[in-house]
Amino acid sequence: MIEDKTGNEDLLDIRINDVLDTRLHEVEAAVRKAAAEEILPRFRQLADHEVIEKNGPHDLVTVADRRAEEHLTASLTALLPGSVVVGEEAVHADPAIVDALHGDAPVWIVDPVDGTRQFVHGDPGFCTLVALARRGEILASWTYAAARDEMAVAVRGRGVVLDGHPLTRAPSAEADLQVATSHPDFTTEDQKRALLGLRTEGVSPRPCGSAGLEYLAIAKGELDAVAFSWENAWDHAAGLLLVTETGGGHVTVAGEPFRIEGGNVLPFTAARDAATMERVIGLLRAQ
């Protein structure tokens, strides 16, 4: 029997449009609930055995990360039947899960606690990131800084809403470009050399905190750009939509937009506008 995929495709399109048109608030509620039940009760309350190193002292996972991702996986797939989840902790356990980014099913890309290091140390600079994508295109995203109760929702082609109000980016008040960059522990020698290009007159680079909050800072006009050297989709998908929906852009040193499916030539930048993007990527290429 030949499977008729046309009907399935049409049904998925209808379900995706339903989420984007009428159920954005339900996704937001699911994100808030996961944070309220699994993350915030453990903030500044973690026991030593609830924090584990994954790939080194700067790459941590906690019971909050795992429980929140499980919570979101159940709630998000229920909201959009036929969808799948690519979550940071699930991919760590089974790297093949990331292959869903190349498939036809709609994908929820989840980072339950972005900025786990900050979370572990009692710093409020962490957030929960969720993005909805299909075939490499980011359709919507939710960035929730639970400790600050700050929620940014972006929808492709419709802009960004921050705490219920349309987000209009403020103009930069700094003379120098403010750029958040990858932590040295997560860069190759070639990438370190590229990032050194930002150490020049008129640019003020600094190590990044939570990637999701750095992207939000660009959208709000508090930061000019990021320059990152890793490509995990869960760290970038939500924020890249925030940046593009507030007039910015992103590009790799190969001159191509960053692809959430991977295979990028790194490092890359996301910036508040085209001129800033071109300046930052030019400095990265110069090295």
Side-chain angles (χ1 to χ4, degrees), residues 27 30-31 71-81 83 85 108 110 130:
V27 182
V31 174
H71 190 296
L72 286 166
T73 297
S75 59
L76 295 174
T77 52
L79 281 170
L80 180 52
S83 64
V85 173
W108 298 101
V110 174
V130 172

Side-chain angles (χ1 to χ4, degrees), residues 10-209:
D10 291 343
L11 181 58
L12 277 176
D13 287 340
I14 290 169
R15 289 172 174 170
I16 292 169
N17 289 334
D18 182 41
V19 169
L20 298 179
D21 292 338
T22 65
R23 306 184 73 184
L24 292 174
H25 66 287
E26 293 182 47
V27 182
E28 177 178 335
V31 174
R32 289 181 179 275
K33 186 175 182 182
E37 294 185 2
E38 307 294 354
I39 300 172
L40 287 177
R42 296 180 169 94
F43 183 45
R44 297 174 178 162
Q45 302 294 325
L46 288 167
D48 289 345
H49 70 273
E50 293 178 322
V51 182
I52 299 170
E53 289 186 12
K54 290 195 288 190
N55 298 308
H58 298 294
D59 188 12
L60 305 174
V61 63
T62 74
V63 63
D65 296 73
R66 290 173 173 164
R67 296 277 181 83
E69 186 170 311
E70 291 167 1
H71 190 296
L72 286 166
T73 297
S75 59
L76 295 174
T77 52
L79 281 170
L80 180 52
S83 64
V84 297
V85 173
V86 171
E88 178 177 8
E89 306 314 328
V91 172
H92 180 71
D94 180 5
I97 288 174
V98 80
D99 293 340
L101 293 172
H102 299 275
D104 290 329
V107 182
W108 298 101
I109 305 170
V110 174
D111 190 341
V113 182
D114 181 64
T116 300
R117 186 164 47 119
Q118 286 81 3
F119 178 73
V120 167
H121 290 108
D123 183 326
F126 63 90
C127 61
T128 298
L129 303 175
V130 172
L132 176 61
R134 193 178 189 200
R135 299 186 181 119
E137 181 177 76
I138 309 165
L139 304 174
S141 75
W142 294 259
T143 299
Y144 183 44
R148 307 175 186 173
D149 194 24
E150 186 175 41
M151 173 72 79
V153 181
V155 180
R156 186 174 183 271
R158 303 184 203 173
V160 177
V161 172
L162 178 64
D163 294 334
H165 302 285
L167 178 59
T168 301
R169 188 180 59 205
S172 176
E174 302 290 341
D176 289 355
L177 286 184
Q178 307 297 306
V179 184
T181 69
S182 295
H183 192 284
D185 286 351
F186 299 104
T187 56
T188 66
E189 291 306 312
D190 286 345
Q191 291 164 358
K192 284 184 176 68
R193 282 192 290 273
L195 292 169
L196 284 174
L198 299 176
R199 298 187 178 279
T200 188
E201 185 177 356
V203 182
S204 295
R206 62 162 174 80
C208 74

